[in-house]
Amino acid sequence: MARQEIRLTNTLTRQKEVLTPFDPANVRMYVCGPTVYDFAHIGNARPVIVFDVLFRLLRHVYGPDHVTYVRNITDVDDKINARALRDFPDLPLNEAIRKVTEKTGDQFHKDVAALGCLTPSVEPRATENIDQMIALIGKLIDQGHAYVARGEEGLEVLFDVLSMPEYGGLSNRSLGEQQAGARIAVEGHKKSPGDFVLWKQSRDDQPGWDAVFNLPKPNRKALGLSDETLTIHGRPGWHIECSAMSERYLWTEIEERLSDGALAHPHQFDIHGGGLDLIFPHHENEIAQSRCAFETPRMAQIWMHNGFLQVEGQKMSKSLGNFVTIHELLQTDKFGSRSWPGEVLRLAMLMTHYREPIDFSVKRLEEAETKLRAWQRAAENAEMSDPSEEVVGALADDLGFQRAQPAIDALARKANAGDAEAAERLAATLDFLGFGTNSLLVQIDASENEAVEAAIADRLAALAAKDYPKADAIRANLLTKGIQLMDYKDPATGARRTKWENKK
RNA sequence: GGCCACGUGGCGGAGUGGUGACGCAGCGGACUGCAAAUCCGUGUACUCCGGUUCGAUUCCGGACGUGGCCUCCA
């Protein structure tokens, strides 16, 4: 059987392209993950969900063991330092930082698991890859793509954007344009205004690692130093971590397993993703670092970017009071006066194509819940066969989930009409998409379950005695606990039966 | 100012050079003792202005509007 062709919009070319992995036995994807300094908000959830869908699609098409998905955790950042000093002023800095990043990281993992997202193949932490970053920076200095300068807060290693003529290719800005735009403050120590930090010296109250760099002669002269090497106790700039970690986990560590097709394109991988805002400068800079360090014509084949979301028609911001975290949606009644199941948040996110803006609203969540509930009802108790090919096909066309909805609705309709095969396909499809097959319907523990069944039996007895007031009272009472009863006829005997679902 | 997206009915969202998908909500009906679920039926739209065309929501141009980036912000 021919493999499903996957087409994705590539920001590099602004076109939909057929995905042609260097090595179909090792499809490799890197997505920029969270900086762990605070609860993730609902905007942060979008790339996580979008690229989880892509991960699932890739696993489906290429096989679960043939996809490597790397999503980093940024655990060194000045925002983290600030948070550590604020929240744990009495602890030693490193300990305080560790507390912040562990706590926030754990919360992030709980949040995205509730959103139905699979764990990536590797989730490297920046702090576990400092050596790799230092090596990469050293390489860039040695090759003449980076230099050491004295900035306002100490020594800095800067990337020299003029050393890369193709800089700006992803975001479609030429260096000339950027220099013409007067918005970039010209910092005197930079050779060129667009130069960005690779490594910066740390004070005692900032996290730091000792890095030894060679100092080329001209650079020595500029700094007024005589040693051939320079040790800078410092910390990495933001961009370098992704270059270092993608190289390590998508190339170095798996190189021996890669096929000739991949080996013919060393240091390159298939897909790199993230939010729209990362195109410039973050991804542009990653490309500059990786391509220059490894002397490659590209870093990744396909660059994908998800759109932003607004909340109830407005930009989400703390000052507007519409800032909402994943945690709050899942666990509190802050948004729409109730909490929301993770699967509902997931569907609400996927209803709109990943590149389009989303207006995240209560109305949207309500619609998503109605939809998902109906799908799960139709799939309930069915075995799983294979996911719908129409749905897979819609996803394969640039993750067009919204085009798959009619196909899912059709399966649900057939399942409701008694088509067991459709029900099995629907169950498999919902599972494939990460929605679960009955998570919205039953969410109570066993002891409670017994009480519900007993109440149902009482009600059926009351009904048999035509005691409708009593039967209705039982039903109403259960409803206050979130248990919705639904009567139906036994298809064989015609007798009245009752099932229920949880509406909480 | 530069670059990049996007504007379809109350909402979500397909799609097409010519008989207005689909879904949610609403309304009507069937079923039910009544509900719930399910099923059937049903109305309203292509931001504006030009142009091309026998004919444009669809192609071209312009305007307006919304959002993103241009100082490490998803």
Side-chain angles (χ1 to χ4, degrees), chain A residues 107-367:
Chain A
Q107 184 64 52
F108 176 77
H109 285 121
K110 278 184 201 152
D111 287 347
V112 301
L115 296 175
C117 296
L118 301 172
T119 306
S121 320
V122 192
E123 282 192 278
R125 292 173 161 266
T127 51
E128 291 164 358
N129 289 273
I130 298 292
D131 290 347
Q132 285 75 11
M133 296 184 216
I134 293 172
L136 199 54
I137 295 166
K139 216 168 156 134
L140 288 169
I141 292 176
D142 294 346
Q143 290 166 326
H145 289 295
Y147 59 95
V148 182
R150 234 183 275 282
E152 278 175 26
E153 295 181 30
L155 292 169
E156 290 177 352
V157 183
L158 293 162
F159 186 92
D160 181 354
V161 294
L162 290 181
S163 75
M164 189 201 188
E166 288 160 284
Y167 184 82
L170 180 71
S171 55
N172 195 24
R173 316 156 194 251
S174 70
L175 286 165
E177 264 171 22
Q178 289 182 65
Q179 287 171 343
R183 299 253 177 130
I184 302 171
V186 180
E187 296 172 79
H189 64 292
K190 291 185 179 179
K191 284 190 187 174
S192 165
D195 292 355
F196 55 91
V197 172
L198 301 171
W199 190 260
K200 53 191 163 191
Q201 192 167 20
S202 292
R203 298 186 307 258
D204 289 346
D205 62 345
Q206 291 170 326
W209 294 262
D210 282 333
V212 183
F213 300 115
N214 292 322
L215 217 48
K217 215 170 185 178
N219 208 158
R220 276 207 294 275
K221 241 174 132 178
L223 289 169
L225 298 172
S226 54
D227 292 345
E228 287 182 13
T229 64
L230 177 66
T231 301
I232 304 178
H233 182 75
R235 59 199 192 284
W238 176 39
H239 314 298
I240 195 70
E241 65 175 87
C242 291
S243 285
M245 290 191 270
S246 60
E247 166 70 4
R248 175 172 175 186
Y249 297 102
L250 293 178
W251 176 256
T252 313
E253 292 211 348
I254 63 172
E255 187 178 345
E256 61 201 25
R257 302 206 316 262
L258 294 175
S259 73
D260 290 346
L263 296 176
H265 302 277
H267 311 289
Q268 299 172 45
F269 53 94
D270 300 305
I271 300 169
H272 191 128
L276 204 61
D277 60 319
L278 297 181
I279 295 174
F280 188 89
H282 184 53
H283 287 167
E284 197 70 76
N285 293 352
E286 280 186 45
I287 289 173
Q289 293 160 352
S290 292
R291 283 192 49 195
C292 288
F294 306 120
E295 299 175 42
T296 55
R298 63 192 152 188
M299 180 180 181
Q301 298 204 74
I302 294 187
W303 288 77
M304 295 176 65
H305 295 95
N306 63 273
F308 266 41
L309 62 80
Q310 291 186 274
V311 173
E312 300 291 356
Q314 288 189 300
K315 183 171 176 159
M316 179 166 64
S317 75
K318 286 185 175 159
S319 59
L320 283 172
N322 63 352
F323 189 93
V324 58
T325 64
I326 303 171
H327 176 73
E328 286 168 336
L329 286 161
L330 291 169
Q331 304 290 343
T332 76
D333 60 0
K334 182 180 167 184
F335 197 73
S337 304
R338 52 161 291 190
S339 64
W340 301 91
E343 295 87 345
V344 168
L345 302 176
R346 182 179 178 91
L347 177 56
M349 206 65 92
L350 293 175
M351 283 182 344
T352 298
H353 185 76
Y354 74 94
R355 301 180 66 241
E356 303 284 316
I358 285 186
D359 184 13
F360 199 80
S361 63
V362 172
K363 195 166 187 172
R364 170 182 284 268
L365 291 176
E366 286 170 347
E367 182 178 339

Side-chain angles (χ1 to χ4, degrees), chain A residues 1-8 16-21 54 57-58 60-62 302 389-400 403:
Chain A
M1 194 177 80
R3 178 152 41 210
Q4 170 72 51
E5 182 178 275
I6 296 174
R7 304 198 309 147
L8 301 167
K16 233 187 253 186
E17 292 177 10
V18 175
L19 172 68
T20 315
L54 179 54
L57 176 68
L58 293 170
H60 180 76
V61 172
Y62 291 93
I302 294 187
E389 279 167 32
E390 276 175 279
V391 172
V392 173
L395 292 185
D397 185 3
D398 204 24
L399 303 185
R403 248 177 285 115

Side-chain angles (χ1 to χ4, degrees), chain A residues 1 19 26 28 34 58 71 75 90 139 153 156 194 288 362 370 373 402:
Chain A
M1 194 177 80
L19 172 68
N26 288 287
R28 293 166 291 157
L58 293 170
R71 185 182 62 208
D75 61 350
D90 300 329
K139 216 168 156 134
E153 295 181 30
E156 290 177 352
V362 172
T370 303
R373 209 171 255 286
Q402 71 294 342

Side-chain angles (χ1 to χ4, degrees), chain A residues 26-44:
Chain A
N26 288 287
V27 183
R28 293 166 291 157
M29 170 163 80
Y30 186 96
V31 175
C32 294
T35 300
V36 284
Y37 70 101
D38 203 349
F39 287 103
H41 59 68
I42 188 61
N44 300 115

Side-chain angles (χ1 to χ4, degrees), chain A residues 449-470:
Chain A
N449 188 55
E450 253 172 55
V452 172
E453 293 301 336
I456 286 174
D458 285 350
R459 175 169 170 273
L460 285 175
L463 285 174
K466 306 252 184 216
D467 186 350
Y468 295 123
K470 185 180 176 189

